[in-house]
């Protein structure tokens, strides 16, 4: 859960610390006081886009810091660990986001600088923000389909993953088949060039590094006389004359004479030097042997030189055409062989691709049929659950219907897929179109929710959807940003009841203008705006019971200074506390009571 959030220089908020309840926290305040900055701060902590315009006027940067608790063993802890974040001594985790006036954004997690995307990954496991923008997104067909998938859970998720995997392969094979068919002549010409090149290289049969070795060998053959003379002189100097001429003893002979003289000496110091001369003799013997072997291998045959030069000419013919050196020529040949394997335009190859495409289409159609069935079942369950919620939101005559129908393929649709004898468009999310419909009252025609509901009704429908979805939402913290807009009276009380009930399984944070909703909160925060030092500033403070009554009276009708207003606020608080108490004892709400007239 999010235990605490600190905001500094964000919008009109100078500096504020929000201590959040593990249950239901409500944020209220006058219009323009800065309530939306609380939600903005949560969006920033969630890795959302940071805008320089959000920085408080006259300040260089805005900072939002959040402290999360209870993450041990959770997926969020895994995300933090992978990012190298370190928890605090009490096990909590600190996330920080800053935005500068020059547009630069920084993110830190557990004391480590991290990409902003890491905060987004963390927030996916911890926070879900539901606001009026989410309502607008829910009016789109793709978003409505995503709602069904989210509500359905693993059944649809697994089927959709399989569908997308097979669809990608189906598209790939279809594209390759079309490409080979349409480019048959071009590919045939290109493959002929590649085939001839591979045959030419294969005929020459170059070996890795052969061109470098031939250069060295040709140099030795061309300079054989000079090399022989130098090696022979070095051999004489080391080993002496091969005919035993005493006038040319060589280094080995001289060392042998020095060994004999030292060994015959009676001075221990001289005899100690003899082993070192023996080591030198061994080394010189090895050098002499290598010089002899070099002279034996040294080839001065002009015919051999001619062969080497001819081989160099063959290799140069290849390097002029295909690459800078022999290794590059061999790499070209390997690449050409691979490309030729994908250029087979024979009837057999095309038939094999066509058969693979057909098999994938059948598999994809089977998966899409199962996906549609799962979505249809989930749509019925979701519609019933939302309709039940509407009954408690002063829309008892209304009901929700969710249509899941196939999307027909248009003419010449490259993604047309035959499913049960009908050509459908195989989109990334399946072959289904989803539409949420509202039946305003018994006998009314189902209409899309944006056409069948007034502004206030639309807010209630959206809230009912969010409440139902929240029960299937795995994240621990749910944020609602004025989703109760356009609602009042008894419906507002029902909204408060539902949010309080939701807070029994989630941490719930609500920004609202309705006293009926705020009364059900476990903790009440208010955003105050005032003039200090000639500058408009806002801060956030936690209300005690007395201050809470005053704030609720103000929210009811601006009656904070009247006894009637306070009495109304106290009655509202008592109702909410009684409801929550009953829920804790029995799990059921207190029966509604109407005043006698």
């Amino acid at each position: 859960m999010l235990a605490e959030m600190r905001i500094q220089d964000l919008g009109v908020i100078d500096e504020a610390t929000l201590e959040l309840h593990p249950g239901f926290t409500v944020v209220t305040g006058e219009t323009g006081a800065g309530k939306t900055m609380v939600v903005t701060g949560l969006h920033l902590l969630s890795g959302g886009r940071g805008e320089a315009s959000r920085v408080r006027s006259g300040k260089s940067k805005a900072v939002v810091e959040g402290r999360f608790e209870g993450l041990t063993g959770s997926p969020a802890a895994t995300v933090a660990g992978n990012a190298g974040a370190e928890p605090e001594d009490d096990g909590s985790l600190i996330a920080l986001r800053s935005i500068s006036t020059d547009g630069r954004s920084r993110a830190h997690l557990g004391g480590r600088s991290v990409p902003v995307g890491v905060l987004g990954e963390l927030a996916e496991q911890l926070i879900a923000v539901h606001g009026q923008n989410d309502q607008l997104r829910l009016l789109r067909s793709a978003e409505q389909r995503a709602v069904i998938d989210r509500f359905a859970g693993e059944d649809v998720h697994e089927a959709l993953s399989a569908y997308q995997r097979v669809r990608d392969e189906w598209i790939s094979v279809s594209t390759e088949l079309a490409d080979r068919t349409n480019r048959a002549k071009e590919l045939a010409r290109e493959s002929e060039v590649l085939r001839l090149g591979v045959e030419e290289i294969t005929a020459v049969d170059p070996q890795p590094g052969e061109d470098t070795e031939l250069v060295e060998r040709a140099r030795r053959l061309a300079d054989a006389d000079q090399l022989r003379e130098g090696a022979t002189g070095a051999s004489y100097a080391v080993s002496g004359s091969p005919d035993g001429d005493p006038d040319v003893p060589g280094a080995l002979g001289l060392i042998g004479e020095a060994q004999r003289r030292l060994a015959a000496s009676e001075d221990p110091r001289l005899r100690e030097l003899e082993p070192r001369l023996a080591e030198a003799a061994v080394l010189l013997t090895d050098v002499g042997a290598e010089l002899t072997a070099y002279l034996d291998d040294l080839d001065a045959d002009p015919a051999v030189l001619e062969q080497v030069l001819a081989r160099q000419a063959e290799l140069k013919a290849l390097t002029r055409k295909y690459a800078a050196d022999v290794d590059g020529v061999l790499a070209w040949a390997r690449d050409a062989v691979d490309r030729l394997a994908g250029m087979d335009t024979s009837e057999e190859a095309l038939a094999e691709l066509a058969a693979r495409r057909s098999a994938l289409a059948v598999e994809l159609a089977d998966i899409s049929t199962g996906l549609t069935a799962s979505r249809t079942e989930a749509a019925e369950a979701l519609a019933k659950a939302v309709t039940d919620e509407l009954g408690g939101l002063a829309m008892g005559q209304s009901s929700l219907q969710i249509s899941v129908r196939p999307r027909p393929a248009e003419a010449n649709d490259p993604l047309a897929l035959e499913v049960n004898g009908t050509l459908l468009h195989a989109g990334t999310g399946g072959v289904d179109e989803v539409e949420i419909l509202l039946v305003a009252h018994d006998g009314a025609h189902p209409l899309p929710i944006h056409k069948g509901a007034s502004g206030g009704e639309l807010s209630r429908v959206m809230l009912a959807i969010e409440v139902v979805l929240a029960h299937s939402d795995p994240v621990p913290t749910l944020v609602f940003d004025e989703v109760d807009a356009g609602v009042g009276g008894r419906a507002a009380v029902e909204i408060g009841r539902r949010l309080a009930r939701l807070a029994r399984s989630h941490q719930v944070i609500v920004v609202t203008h309705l006293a009926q909703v705020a009364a059900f909160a476990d903790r009440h925060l208010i955003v105050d705006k005032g003039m200090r030092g000639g500058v408009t500033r806002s801060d956030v403070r936690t209300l005690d019971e007395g201050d809470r009554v005053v704030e609720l009276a103000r929210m009811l009708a601006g009656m904070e200074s009247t006894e009637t207003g306070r009495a109304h606020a106290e009655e509202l608080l008592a109702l909410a506390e009684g409801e929550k108490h009953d829920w804790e004892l029995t799990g059921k709400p207190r029966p509604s009571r109407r005043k006698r007239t």
Side-chain angles (χ1 to χ4, degrees):
M1 59 164 275
L2 179 61
E4 184 178 275
M5 184 170 72
R6 184 175 69 87
I7 300 174
Q8 181 178 353
D9 296 328
L10 182 66
V12 295
I13 296 181
D14 181 16
E15 184 167 0
T17 299
L18 288 72
E19 295 180 356
L20 304 170
H21 194 277
F24 185 0
T25 299
V26 71
V27 180
T28 66
E30 294 276 7
T31 300
K35 299 189 298 297
T36 56
M37 289 301 103
V38 174
V39 178
T40 299
L42 289 167
H43 273 295
L44 292 174
L45 277 183
S46 301
R49 180 182 176 184
E51 299 179 1
S53 60
R54 296 294 189 182
V55 180
R56 181 174 171 79
S57 178
K59 300 295 183 179
S60 61
K61 66 178 180 179
V63 178
V64 181
E65 180 181 300
R67 180 168 62 85
F68 296 92
E69 293 181 346
L71 305 187
T72 304
S74 68
T78 302
V79 173
N82 292 340
E86 294 289 339
E88 300 297 303
D89 293 339
D90 60 359
S92 63
L93 185 68
I94 303 296
L96 184 144
R97 180 82 180 278
S98 64
I99 303 171
S100 302
T101 52
D102 59 7
R104 289 183 299 175
S105 177
R106 297 287 185 271
H108 292 78
L109 184 63
R112 296 288 299 272
S113 178
V114 297
V116 173
V118 173
L119 293 188
E121 293 178 26
L122 185 77
E124 286 180 3
Q125 309 296 332
L126 295 176
I127 302 175
V129 180
H130 306 287
Q132 295 182 51
N133 289 334
D134 299 270
Q135 291 185 15
L136 295 175
R137 285 199 299 271
L138 275 175
L139 299 180
R140 305 170 189 162
S141 178
E143 292 294 335
Q144 292 177 9
R145 185 177 61 214
V147 165
I148 298 296
D149 293 351
R150 178 176 153 201
F151 178 78
E154 284 300 317
D155 289 343
V156 166
H157 177 73
E158 292 177 2
L160 182 58
S161 296
Y163 169 88
Q164 291 171 340
R165 174 180 53 78
V166 175
R167 177 181 179 270
D168 288 344
E169 188 176 356
W170 174 63
I171 291 175
S172 176
V173 171
S174 300
T175 301
E176 184 178 356
L177 177 59
D179 184 63
R180 287 197 195 186
T181 303
N182 296 333
R183 298 177 57 221
K185 291 183 179 179
E186 179 185 345
L187 289 174
R189 287 194 298 269
E190 185 179 351
S191 63
E192 181 64 14
V193 171
L194 294 175
R195 185 183 60 77
L196 291 175
V198 171
E199 289 178 354
E200 182 181 9
I201 293 170
T202 302
V204 175
D205 191 24
Q207 301 301 310
E210 184 182 0
D211 49 348
T212 302
E213 294 175 3
L214 287 176
V215 169
E216 292 296 322
R217 190 176 180 191
R219 184 183 61 78
R220 284 197 301 271
L221 287 168
D223 299 337
D225 292 339
Q226 295 91 327
L227 294 174
R228 184 179 298 279
E229 180 181 351
T232 300
S235 179
Y236 285 1
V238 171
S239 303
S241 173
D243 56 7
D245 186 349
D247 294 331
V248 188
L252 281 172
L254 295 174
I255 287 178
E257 178 63 23
Q259 282 183 275
R260 289 189 294 273
R261 290 179 180 275
L262 293 178
S265 175
E266 296 182 358
D267 188 338
R269 291 183 60 188
L270 290 176
R271 287 199 300 272
E272 290 175 356
L273 297 175
E274 191 272 334
R276 294 167 64 185
L277 289 174
E279 293 177 4
V282 170
L283 179 61
L284 286 172
T285 299
D286 291 342
V287 172
E290 291 186 19
L291 286 170
T292 300
Y294 178 84
L295 288 168
D296 291 341
D297 293 339
L298 190 61
D299 198 340
D301 188 349
V304 174
L305 177 60
E306 185 177 347
Q307 292 174 358
V308 170
L309 295 176
R311 179 62 175 173
Q312 282 185 311
E314 287 182 329
L315 297 181
K316 286 181 180 178
L318 296 180
T319 56
R320 280 195 299 267
K321 287 184 179 180
Y322 304 108
D325 55 25
V326 166
D327 289 345
V329 170
L330 291 171
W332 185 94
R334 289 192 296 271
D335 180 65
V337 170
D338 292 340
R339 291 168 63 190
L340 281 169
M343 289 183 178
D344 190 352
T345 57
S346 64
E347 292 184 4
E348 294 80 3
L350 295 179
E352 184 179 346
L353 276 176
R356 178 60 180 156
R357 181 188 60 180
S358 298
L360 287 169
V362 171
E363 183 180 1
L364 188 61
D366 289 342
I367 295 173
S368 65
T369 299
L371 180 59
T372 299
S374 296
R375 279 178 172 153
T376 301
E377 182 179 353
E380 292 175 358
L382 178 60
K384 182 180 184 305
V386 174
T387 298
D388 291 343
E389 287 293 330
L390 291 178
L393 294 174
M395 292 181 65
Q397 298 297 316
S398 302
S399 62
L400 205 72
Q401 294 181 5
I402 301 178
S403 167
V404 179
R405 59 180 182 272
R407 177 182 174 184
E410 297 180 357
N412 301 319
D413 186 348
L415 296 177
L417 176 71
E418 184 175 345
V419 181
N420 298 325
T422 303
L423 288 180
L424 304 179
H425 176 76
T428 55
V431 299
D432 308 312
E433 286 185 321
V434 174
E435 186 173 30
I436 299 177
L437 307 168
L438 180 68
V439 180
H441 54 81
D442 292 340
H445 291 291
L447 293 174
I449 53 175
H450 64 284
K451 294 182 179 179
S454 65
E457 288 173 335
L458 179 60
S459 293
R460 278 177 277 175
V461 170
M462 292 303 182
L463 180 61
I465 292 174
E466 295 292 2
V467 169
V468 171
L469 289 178
H471 285 293
S472 62
D473 205 323
V475 300
T477 299
L478 304 174
V479 182
F480 294 92
D481 178 22
E482 296 195 4
V483 291
D484 49 17
V487 178
R490 186 164 60 88
V493 175
E494 293 298 335
I495 290 174
R497 284 195 179 106
R498 277 153 179 75
L499 292 171
R501 192 191 320 162
L502 194 57
R504 300 177 73 244
S505 59
H506 293 72
Q507 182 187 35
V508 176
I509 302 170
V510 178
V511 176
T512 183
H513 66 283
L514 293 179
Q516 294 92 330
V517 172
F520 281 88
D522 299 305
R523 178 165 296 163
H524 192 148
L525 306 178
I526 184 171
V527 181
D528 276 332
K529 182 170 72 172
M531 295 289 293
R532 293 191 295 277
V535 178
T536 302
R537 304 174 186 271
S538 291
D539 60 13
V540 181
R541 59 188 176 89
T542 303
L543 299 182
D544 58 24
E545 287 302 315
D547 289 337
R548 193 175 182 191
V549 170
V550 173
E551 172 64 5
L552 291 179
R554 178 198 67 78
M555 296 173 69
L556 285 166
M559 300 187 302
E560 67 269 27
S561 60
T562 68
E563 290 297 327
T564 302
R566 293 182 183 226
H568 193 178
E570 289 171 350
E571 182 182 3
L572 190 57
L573 276 173
L575 170 67
E577 290 300 322
E579 291 274 353
K580 291 191 290 183
H581 180 69
D582 290 346
W583 269 103
E584 292 173 1
L585 292 179
T586 66
K588 298 180 180 179
R590 176 175 297 184
S592 60
R593 293 173 295 180
R594 295 188 178 181
K595 293 183 179 181
R596 294 181 180 178
T597 56

